[in-house]
Amino acid sequence: DGGITQSPKYLFRKEGQNVTLSCEQNLNHDAMYWYRQDPGQGLRLIYYSQIVNDFQKGDIAEGYSVSREKKESFPLTVTSAQKNPTAFYLCASSMATSGSYEQYFGPGTRLTVT
Amino acid sequence: GQNIDQPTEMTATEGAIVQINCTYQTSGFNGLFWYQQHAGEAPTFLSYNVLDGLEEKGRFSSFLSRSKGYSYLLLKELQMKDSASYLCAVRNAGKSTFGDGTTLTVKP
């Protein structure tokens, strides 16, 4: 079955630690995205990648880093520089960043930093 | 800049029709998407509009007016399972900007 997987579903970390969230897709999509969602709010774009070995900052990239070494994988690192990292993180992919191609979302990772 | 507005909450009765509005002010426009998100879950795609007019897909329809920066999602024959958050998203230059979502509660 094709889809997007994110792991783990719940993640707990101590303040000051970096943490990496996994995102894998087997849909053969070129574009991948990371969003953050806070309670009662919409999705805010952290980073996106249109092709392998290339990525662009979204609206709230500070304190985050990504890599896109393989088409299938787009891991997100939440660094200690991110001031308020506790949130629901969603990864998505689409065939392309233009046209009518919708985004397919993974199940999300709920990160709690204390 | 990008600004997308949706009502925060709406309530409707099972079997009825509800219209969820979305207004946007963006620096560019390459299409508008509607997604449904159940609590604690990932969003799923509902509809896409890039030209003015109405797109119908079963019980769901979506309308776009580019000159007015306005879209709506119309849900007919409401079912209890339609209780969810509905997100409007505008695509521009490869990025999608999302509204805060409208939480719809369907009551019996």
Side-chain angles (χ1 to χ4, degrees), chain A residues 43-89:
Chain A
L43 281 61
R44 291 186 289 167
L45 183 65
I46 303 172
Y47 270 96
Y48 67 107
S49 168
Q50 299 183 73
I51 54 171
V52 176
N53 292 322
D54 187 46
F55 49 83
Q56 287 80 40
K57 292 182 179 179
D59 300 317
I60 56 165
E62 186 175 347
Y64 299 97
S65 66
V66 293
S67 63
R68 185 89 187 275
E69 297 175 2
K70 298 187 299 181
K71 188 174 186 177
E72 305 78 30
S73 179
F74 192 41
L76 173 75
T77 297
V78 185
T79 74
S80 56
Q82 168 50 233
K83 294 190 184 344
N84 187 16
T86 294
F88 186 45
Y89 290 87

Side-chain angles (χ1 to χ4, degrees), chain B residues 29-106:
Chain B
F29 181 86
N30 297 125
L32 186 144
F33 295 81
W34 284 95
Y35 291 86
Q36 180 191 60
Q37 185 179 26
H38 285 100
E41 297 182 9
T44 54
F45 169 75
L46 288 177
S47 69
Y48 169 76
N49 295 74
V50 67
L51 299 177
D52 291 353
L54 188 69
E55 294 283 341
E56 297 187 79
K57 195 188 279 188
R59 293 191 299 116
F60 294 71
S61 303
S62 57
F63 172 83
L64 175 68
S65 168
R66 289 171 297 171
S67 62
K68 294 182 179 177
Y70 168 69
S71 173
Y72 67 72
L73 180 69
L74 194 71
L75 291 75
K76 303 176 188 175
E77 301 168 17
L78 279 173
Q79 302 174 9
M80 299 300 291
K81 67 177 182 179
D82 296 330
S83 291
S85 183
Y86 292 86
L87 305 172
C88 169
V90 173
R91 173 175 279 166
N92 176 33
K95 300 176 3 175
S96 289
T97 300
F98 284 77
D100 285 345
T102 298
T103 299
L104 173 66
T105 301
V106 180

